Amino acid sequence: MNKFLTTTAVIALALAGAHVSARAADVKEVQMLHWWTSGGEAAALNVLKEDLSKEGFAWKDVPVAGGGGDAAMTALKAMVAAGTYPTASQMLGYTVLDYAEAGVMGDLTETAKKEGWDKSVPAALQKFSVYDGKWVAAPVNVHSVNWLWINKAVMDKIGGSEPKTFDDLIALLDKAKAAGVIPLALGGQNWQEATMFDSIVLSTGGPEFYKKAFNDLDEEALKSETMKKSFDNLAKIVKYVDPNFSGRDWNLATAMVIKGDALVQVMGDWAKGEFVAAKKTPDTDFLCYRFPGTDGSVIYNSDMFGMFNVPDDRKAAQVALATATLSKSFQSAFNVVKGSVPARTDVPDTDFDACGKKGIADLKAANEGGTLFGSLAQGYGAPPAIANAYKDVVSKFVHGQIKSSDEAVTQLVQAIDDAR
Amino acid sequence: MSTVATTDPVLTPGQASGISLRSRLQDALPKIVLAPSFVITLIFVYGFIVWTAYLSFTNSKTFPSYQLTGARAYQRLWRWTFESDPPSSWYTSITNMAIFGFLYVGICLALGLLLAILLDQKIRGEGLLRPIFLYPMALSFIVTGVAWKWFLDPGLGLEQTLHHFGWTSFHFDWIKNKDFVIYTVVIAGVWQASGFVMAMFLAGLRGIDGEIMKAAQIDGASPLQLYRRIVIPLLRPIFLSAFIVLAHMAIKSYDLVVALTSGGPGGSAWLPSNFMYEYTFKRNEMAVGSASAIIMLMTISAIIVPYLYSELKEKAR
């Protein structure tokens, strides 16, 4: 078996073109694989590096070229197969569970008990950071997906107000259209379309329905009239997109709202990072509302540091990393910059801006009310095979390969069934 | 030679074995030098082909699994090929491959030949024109893709520019259109490779014996007849090598699709290579990805093997 794994490692390495050297690890060093390379993200990570250096641990980035995480995940696969585990790696949702199932994750339960993570980290996140009763990952943040980002100047110009229902939103988009502004900024990539559809399903069917359909993958729910209605609503809202949207990156869509070319974008709170980077402030330059009809619920994704099964002499560095990651000071400092909210519900919101404060309050309420759901589009609703099958269907519907909502529902059920 | 002559008459046993060792070494040297690369190729090409074929019959997901579970992956691909409306990603990929492969190879050959024939008319400035046509080949598919992405984008490139100059009725949005996006991949691919094909044909044209041409001209052949009956048939080997080069470039073009279209609206620009990468590495469905890779391999073999066979047979004759 080991020989096979080594072979796997060699082929994966060759395919990824990643150069990961299997060198002896320094025990006073934290080896970290991540794809946070943009200015804000790197600055946010520096906080963690400094925290660790105070305790005498050096920081070593495992080099991975290419953003977005795909290249990093391929390199990680190769490293793990070769048995040279990094101390920790940035991971998303079901990936953590995949690796835990493969038996390569470490065990941080002792630290977790001592630090009281069980109580402070929302149960929905624990589903991904705890495997088989053991803590295997440290959540870094919570992004929530069901937001509207609105340019305030444009909103004032067209005389709009916060949309409370889906129909309000359509009326607002109509107003923008009449005023000659692009109503909806959307990037025509499948994950962006599916991210928006996550919100539409929650808005159309309510929290119970979202959970049943997109977290439990209940076939009745997936086939239901409500799901058809969600696709109809998607068709309605897509009409407000400019004709040139296909293939556009999400940050370019955000830039359209920032510049006032477009009124609104439906996007996760990483969009706030773009507004902040453009020196815009909430409530004066831009507005953040929950997607109409989803107030009180949060569709989330979360960045996690997956902790690998390192030898005992490197364990101290790993524990230090995990403790620092979940410390209140780091959670606050990091998430102020990143645009997300802390992964524990007991962090004070003093340093956050208006949208951040709202995000923290919403997360707390959703956690207590049981309305915190993993985003299917972002890999927290189901494993990658299913999440991607879902994104395919939504994207084909948006771009007209699938023509009716009946057809879309049939396709969705079949695609999810295939990928199971 | 003189040294051989002087040592020839009396050979001590030591000398004899020395020479035979040397000559044996000389005989073995090519094999010794070739052995590592032979082994590496054997393992990393053919070994992994076998490995991939094995994986396609397992239930491998994120990591390879070695438990055989039958041809489920192939059944899925098969069903996706014939039983799905709207077309599945796999169906889209293989029809795109047919469209792209046929047009890309066909247009490149035709355009390359035409350019070569025109350049061969002893025109002035050939030295300048040749590299201009050839240089797109020096760019990677990624660069070509990004450049053409901007050029074809209705909001940035051609359409916007012509609107700016006053031709506001001009409309060209293929790159954003699910039905036409694959043709933009053909455009960018042809732009890149036709100059290279031209260079191959030009070399071939220059290699044709002038005497034959003169003889044909004396016999009263028109230029058109000259090319149709003599030049183009003589270029047959060049056609074949150009075809092989273009065909394998068409089959492996993954990066062009990604850079130019990022997969196209709703995945409508996918080629089988995109499908294979997506399923194997992004969707953690290694078995399905492997099955698609094996089908690609079989398709290529179906084209290449008969060709190689006929070529080798001809050589042997």
Side-chain angles (χ1 to χ4, degrees), chain B residues 249-263:
Chain B
M249 273 170 41
I251 286 159
K252 73 176 185 190
S253 48
Y254 162 85
D255 35 7
L256 183 62
V257 174
V258 172
L260 182 69
T261 67
S262 14

Side-chain angles (χ1 to χ4, degrees), chain A residues 11 99 176 279 300 307 350 377 405:
Chain A
I11 192 178
Y99 280 88
K279 305 264 178 297
Y300 77 92
M307 300 291 172
T350 38
S405 54

